[in-house]
């Protein structure tokens, strides 16, 4: 069943092999981590072509290191505590589940918890056995799925239970037009 009107979403990003990586990484950082990923329009899963996934993750992790942690009222802060009681335990559970099914935390300090603060966890490789593949995490957990054929992320979108938006990063207008 598809949701026609709903506030949940598992919005994917599709990073094509010809994408400008600096732009894709920058937009995926903003898309997945602004407001700690706690907004319905946040990017909740990143599909990155396998030919560029290692470089993408390296650049993505470099950008996470630049983000400032603190309280939301402090100037220049990008990462804040999560306001929902029990949320850090839920996010830790998603990370643990992903690790049990073969994912690794790819960034230094990923998933560390201090009180109600959860440091972003970049998970890779993510697959359909993991809760974070299909559940909306609504927090700073970034699942990355490598794909070989663009039909793979499109299958995910088509078969999702969520009404959602998709962010597409690439330079070939014909490929992008076909995906749209």
């Amino acid at each position: 069943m598809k949701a026609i009107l709903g506030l949940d979403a598992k919005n994917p990003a599709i990073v094509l092999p010809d994408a400008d990586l600096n732009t894709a990484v920058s937009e995926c950082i903003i898309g997945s981590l602004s407001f700690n990923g706690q907004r319905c329009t946040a990017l909740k899963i990143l599909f990155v072509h396998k030919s560029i996934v290692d470089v993408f993750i390296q650049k993505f992790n470099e950008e996470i290191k630049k983000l400032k942690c603190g309280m939301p009222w402090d100037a220049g802060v990008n990462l804040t505590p999560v306001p929902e009681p029990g949320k850090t335990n839920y996010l830790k559970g998603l990370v643990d589940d992903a690790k049990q099914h073969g994912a690794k935390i790819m960034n230094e300090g990923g998933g560390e918890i201090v009180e109600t603060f959860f440091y972003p966890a970049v998970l890779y490789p993510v697959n359909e056995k993991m809760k974070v593949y299909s559940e909306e995490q609504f927090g700073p957990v970034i699942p990355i799925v490598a794909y070989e054929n663009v039909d793979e992320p499109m299958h995910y979108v088509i078969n999702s239970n969520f009404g959602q938006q998709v962010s597409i990063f690439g330079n070939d207008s014909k490929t992008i037009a076909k995906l749209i």
Side-chain angles (χ1 to χ4, degrees):
M1 176 167 85
K2 293 278 185 195
I4 302 301
L5 177 61
L7 294 177
D8 17 56
K10 186 75 174 169
N11 303 314
I14 301 172
V15 183
L16 299 169
D18 67 340
D20 176 313
L21 280 181
N22 291 329
T23 300
V25 165
S26 175
E27 293 298 319
C28 286
I29 287 283
I30 293 167
S32 62
L33 290 175
S34 62
F35 300 100
N36 284 331
Q38 292 194 296
R39 56 190 176 88
C40 56
T41 57
L43 293 176
K44 309 267 178 38
I45 189 165
L46 310 179
F47 289 89
V48 182
H49 193 270
K50 74 180 228 171
S51 67
I52 58 169
V53 71
D54 293 332
V55 176
F56 179 90
I57 291 170
Q58 177 188 352
K59 289 179 176 284
F60 195 86
N61 289 343
E62 288 169 7
E63 293 304 310
I64 288 177
K65 286 181 190 177
K66 295 176 186 176
L67 299 176
K68 183 178 176 184
C69 302
M71 298 307 288
W73 50 81
D74 293 335
V77 168
N78 308 100
L79 302 170
T80 63
V82 292
E84 184 181 342
K87 188 64 172 195
T88 55
N89 290 334
Y90 172 73
L91 296 172
K92 181 183 182 318
L94 288 177
V95 170
D96 291 346
D97 176 75
K99 288 167 57 178
Q100 287 176 356
H101 290 95
K104 294 179 182 165
I105 298 174
M106 301 303 291
N107 61 316
E108 185 179 330
E112 289 183 8
I113 298 170
V114 177
E115 303 281 332
T116 61
F117 180 81
F118 188 94
Y119 193 75
V122 178
L123 300 175
Y124 177 79
V126 169
N127 63 56
E128 64 280 345
K129 295 175 188 167
M130 302 169 190
K131 290 179 184 177
V132 75
Y133 183 83
S134 55
E135 286 185 23
E136 181 188 16
Q137 67 271 33
F138 209 70
V141 174
I142 304 99
I144 298 178
V145 180
Y147 72 91
E148 194 164 345
N149 184 310
V150 77
D151 290 340
E152 296 167 48
M154 292 308 295
H155 177 77
Y156 178 88
V157 171
I158 291 166
N159 292 298
S160 173
N161 288 325
F162 297 104
Q164 57 196 349
Q165 63 188 25
V166 178
S167 297
I168 302 169
F169 300 95
N171 284 305
D172 180 8
S173 59
K174 290 180 181 176
T175 300
I176 293 170
K178 180 182 174 191
L179 294 175
I180 291 171

